[in-house]
Amino acid sequence: MAAFVVTDSLKQLIGQKEKPVVLKIEEGAIQRYARAVGDSNPLFSDVEYAAQSKWGRVMAPPGFTGWPIASGFDMFKLFERLAKAGAPMGLLDGGVEYDFLAPIGDGDILVMEIKIAGIEGRETKMGPTMVTTIESTFTNQRGAVALITRNTFLNF
Amino acid sequence: MAKQLYYEDVEVGSEITPLKKIATTRMLVQYAGASGDFNPLHYEEDFAKSLGVGKPIVHGLLKRAWLVNLMTDWIGEKGGLKKLSCRYRGMDYPRKMKTFDEPHDGDTWWCKGKVTKKFVQGDENLVECEIWVENDKGEKNTTGSALTALPSKAK
């Protein structure tokens, strides 16, 4: 076995930016997410409780925003482009890093900017593996960067 | 809500209050719908087999959400989660359903963590933690770290 070799056509995708996506954060979607992950914090689900809190509205649990919640951005289209450029077909989520820079909650409008931050070749227990890092920056309606995410995907 | 945690309450080595979780096939469907992650890897046997993971696996992102849950429960509403990262190092498999809402026996997971560093930076009291999700066999298939700001009793 050996490390995956990153081809020139894959290298050309590094730094490529996607078309920005506008995300409207709303409490119904937050509530469904909080229920689905089993987080019973009333700040993320109880409208009356949240209204009395210092934020005055239902807040999104950290990590609510970002792929794959970002409706309007289809990560799988990006994976297809990587596959056309030579990425192996096996695909697993490798992990994620978040910088939470400002609170995000009901009513916020975020602009998500996405780019392929890096593509590396490695050897893992799955065999030769391509490691792709996708960085997304979320700017809120007040012009502040509220969140930066770095998702890592493994193609093998 | 749990009582508020203060900077003075924690030391290097302090344990984060553990959080118990299970995952069922039903919960994975619910997570897929709520998150928009419709990768068949998480609900279709043959597809999962073809990828070499044996059978449908728990979403890494669901385990990540458990770790967020661990941290936000522990730091309370006056605490702020500033950074969190995690890596998925192994597969976890959901319990299958026996009835509409009752799962068969299967794996249980514990989200755990401990304080690795505490320091003051500017006007913030910061606490760094090592965090992980551990299965019944003690395997840490999801590991990561978190940085939080805690209120001080002095203020």
Side-chain angles (χ1 to χ4, degrees), chain A residues 32-33 35-39 41-44 49 53-55 61-64 67-69 76 89-100 122 125-126 151 156, chain B residues 1 21 27 30-31 34-39 41 51-53 57 60-62 64-66 68-69 72-73 77-79 81-91:
Chain A
R32 282 190 291 279
Y33 174 88
R35 267 202 298 278
V37 304
D39 192 328
N41 190 328
L43 197 56
F44 308 143
Y49 179 93
S53 75
K54 69 171 171 181
W55 290 278
F64 165 77
W67 181 81
I69 288 285
F76 290 94
M89 288 310 290
L91 176 66
L92 284 175
D93 190 352
V96 62
E97 269 179 46
Y98 295 97
D99 290 344
F100 303 111
R122 277 193 218 156
K125 61 185 171 188
M126 314 297 290
N151 289 86
F156 52 92
Chain B
M1 285 303 295
K21 292 282 184 182
M27 288 159 89
Q30 194 180 359
Y31 180 75
S35 73
D37 184 349
F38 292 107
N39 189 339
L41 174 62
L51 279 183
V53 298
I57 58 171
L61 285 161
L62 179 58
R64 162 220 60 143
W66 293 348
V68 170
N69 193 171
T72 51
D73 277 4
E77 278 185 23
K78 289 182 184 162
L81 186 59
K82 298 179 73 71
K83 284 174 189 274
L84 184 133
S85 67
C86 63
R87 283 177 168 229
Y88 314 124
R89 299 173 174 279
M91 311 301 163

Side-chain angles (χ1 to χ4, degrees), chain B residues 59 69 92 97 104 135 153:
Chain B
H59 298 76
N69 193 171
D92 289 295
M97 300 304 294
H104 285 285
N135 65 16
K153 285 175 180 168

Side-chain angles (χ1 to χ4, degrees), chain A residues 41-155:
Chain A
N41 190 328
L43 197 56
F44 308 143
S45 54
D46 184 330
V47 176
E48 279 175 31
Y49 179 93
Q52 300 299 318
S53 75
K54 69 171 171 181
W55 290 278
R57 59 195 169 126
V58 170
M59 298 305 290
F64 165 77
T65 311
W67 181 81
I69 288 285
S71 53
F73 178 70
D74 189 347
M75 190 69 90
F76 290 94
K77 289 256 158 59
L78 197 154
F79 295 148
E80 276 169 25
R81 280 215 314 280
L82 289 167
K84 272 188 195 145
M89 288 310 290
L91 176 66
L92 284 175
D93 190 352
V96 62
E97 269 179 46
Y98 295 97
D99 290 344
F100 303 111
L101 303 169
I104 295 172
D106 180 47
D108 280 337
I109 297 169
L110 303 172
V111 177
M112 176 192 192
E113 291 168 288
I114 308 128
K115 70 170 182 192
I116 299 175
I119 299 177
E120 282 174 44
R122 277 193 218 156
E123 186 186 331
T124 69
K125 61 185 171 188
M126 314 297 290
T129 302
M130 179 180 114
V131 181
T132 305
T133 305
I134 296 172
E135 187 176 285
S136 310
T137 302
F138 300 78
T139 305
N140 66 21
Q141 67 275 25
R142 292 174 290 278
V145 176
L147 173 71
I148 298 172
T149 68
R150 281 169 223 96
N151 289 86
T152 304
F153 297 99
L154 310 176
N155 285 92

